[in-house]
Amino acid sequence: PYNKMLRRFAGDLVALRCNSCLCGVLSSRRQLHARAQSAAASLVGRDFLCLKDFTADELKHLLWVSCDLKTRIRDKGEILRPLEGKTLGMIFEKRSTRTRVSTEMAMAILGGHAAFLTRDDIHLGTNESLKDTANVLSRLVDVLVARVYRHSDLDELALHSSIPIINGLSEVYHPLQILADLQTIQERFGQLRDLTVSWVGDGNNVLHSLMIGCTKLGMHMRAATPKGYEPIPKVIEKAKAFGKESGGSLYLTDDPRDAVCGAQCIVTDTWISMGQEEESKQRIKAFEGYQVTPQVRLDVSTKHAVNGHICHPSSHFLVV
């Protein structure tokens, strides 16, 4: 009888542990589901000007939705029209191939319509103020993406419009590009947390957004820029603070081989952005040795490492 009682007691303990584990799993799933719902709800109607304005959960939700749509539409052939009847206004002060075509095609595939606008098409900042433009377009379109020379113009559009404003590029940030890069890295490695991403090149808008995106999501960011071409201090300060909160980190150097040490992904960009053509000779000289060469790639951590965003094919002979 005593042995039977021990066996019954042991069985009850196992059952209790199993039930506890099951409850823990279900509780964790409920918490994740609640967080996902909260992140989705918090995004409705908001501007998308900089990644710093979003929580890690909100960025993860954006990446999840992007991956889900990509899988369902491209891989499974589903026809989804969530943007049926919606219109996107596109203000492009700077020309673009990828941003323009990908945005217009995305709207068409998802059932919406895109209206492409340049300074030659509208009175942006000339006969009409930015405030006037924001008020007029707010009554005509559902959302506005703007690719501008000055980030302050985005802030003003957002201030005076009643519709969401999306940053298609400014001189300070390029958040859409980094969301796409992070999605690619996540698809390749299955996760983002604790991965090391390296940058070799200019301390420009792409790097600024990459620094913020990586440190927000618990990744380790290592960047090499020539002296005098470092990222701006306020972005460095924010990225370091985000890294402390998430368990990520930011490391800055002027040595490309030091920057790529231990990285799973190398990201670079053109040395000469639009509007910097007069600095071409000076920049080419300053960035000598900052190419992503086979010698630099030898220092990455694994044969599965990937090269990330490389902008402007015409400059490949310079940066790669």
Side-chain angles (χ1 to χ4, degrees):
Y2 180 72
N3 289 336
K4 286 183 179 180
M5 183 180 68
L6 285 179
R7 285 196 295 270
R8 188 180 303 114
F9 180 65
D12 290 341
L13 282 178
V14 171
L16 179 61
R17 178 174 294 180
C18 289
N19 288 334
S20 298
C21 290
L22 179 59
C23 289
V25 170
L26 292 176
S27 176
S28 296
R29 287 184 177 178
R30 282 195 293 268
Q31 290 175 2
L32 288 173
H33 182 65
R35 285 170 59 184
Q37 285 185 320
S38 175
S42 67
L43 293 171
V44 176
R46 285 173 59 185
D47 300 316
F48 187 77
L49 304 184
C50 179
L51 299 179
K52 68 179 176 59
D53 302 325
F54 296 85
T55 67
D57 281 343
E58 289 169 339
L59 294 177
K60 290 174 185 177
H61 183 75
L62 286 172
L63 292 171
W64 180 86
V65 171
S66 298
C67 290
D68 181 59
L69 288 173
K70 180 178 177 180
T71 299
R72 294 171 66 185
I73 294 173
R74 193 188 70 173
D75 299 338
K76 297 182 179 180
E78 293 185 32
I79 298 176
L80 302 174
R81 313 284 285 181
L83 300 183
E84 189 82 50
K86 301 296 183 181
T87 302
L88 170 72
M90 300 172 62
I91 295 177
F92 275 46
E93 291 185 328
K94 287 189 172 185
R95 64 186 182 275
S96 167
T97 298
R98 297 157 206 57
T99 304
R100 176 181 177 178
V101 175
S102 62
T103 301
E104 289 188 353
M105 292 305 100
M107 283 299 292
I109 290 169
L110 296 175
H113 174 74
F116 183 74
L117 308 167
T118 69
R119 277 191 175 272
D120 295 329
D121 302 314
I122 59 176
H123 303 291
L124 182 65
T126 53
N127 296 338
E128 289 184 355
S129 66
L130 285 170
K131 178 180 180 180
D132 292 335
T133 299
N135 286 331
V136 171
L137 292 179
S138 291
R139 296 194 294 268
L140 299 175
V141 300
D142 298 291
V143 62
L144 183 66
V145 58
R147 185 177 171 92
V148 298
Y149 283 98
R150 298 179 302 182
H151 193 84
S152 58
D153 288 350
L154 288 170
D155 291 331
E156 190 167 355
L157 285 171
L159 177 65
H160 298 295
S161 84
S162 58
I163 58 174
I165 305 297
I166 297 174
N167 180 1
L169 175 142
S170 73
E171 88 283 16
V172 185
Y173 297 114
H174 199 352
L176 285 182
Q177 178 61 63
I178 297 311
L179 271 186
D181 289 348
L182 290 173
Q183 181 178 343
T184 299
I185 296 170
Q186 182 172 271
E187 289 173 344
R188 181 64 180 266
F189 294 99
Q191 64 174 28
L192 292 175
R193 173 169 287 278
D194 292 329
L195 289 180
T196 299
V197 175
S198 293
W199 173 273
V200 177
D202 192 11
N204 62 13
N205 52 358
V206 179
L207 175 57
H208 291 159
S209 288
L210 185 64
M211 287 163 52
I212 291 175
C214 287
T215 53
K216 274 266 185 181
L217 295 171
M219 303 170 71
H220 304 288
M221 178 77 219
R222 301 173 65 88
T225 59
K227 292 180 179 179
Y229 295 90
E230 298 91 349
I232 58 180
K234 70 175 183 179
V235 179
I236 296 174
E237 183 180 348
K238 288 173 183 174
K240 286 184 176 181
F242 293 143
K244 286 182 180 180
E245 294 174 4
S246 69
S249 64
L250 174 66
Y251 175 75
L252 301 176
T253 179
D254 60 2
D255 183 351
R257 298 195 69 168
D258 182 23
V260 303
C261 184
Q264 285 83 35
C265 178
I266 303 175
V267 186
T268 188
D269 191 13
T270 181
W271 300 338
I272 306 164
S273 298
M274 283 176 280
Q276 298 175 335
E277 290 80 7
E278 293 183 0
E279 305 173 27
S280 296
K281 291 183 180 180
Q282 174 186 341
R283 283 179 165 269
I284 289 173
K285 183 178 180 180
F287 284 87
E288 184 178 353
Y290 284 81
Q291 292 169 305
V292 181
T293 63
Q295 289 74 27
V296 169
R297 292 192 188 103
L298 287 175
D299 292 326
V300 300
S301 67
T302 170
K303 65 181 180 180
H304 299 297
V306 295
N307 287 332
H309 172 60
I310 301 174
C311 192
H312 298 286
S314 61
S315 63
H316 275 194
F317 74 96
L318 291 176
V319 300
V320 178

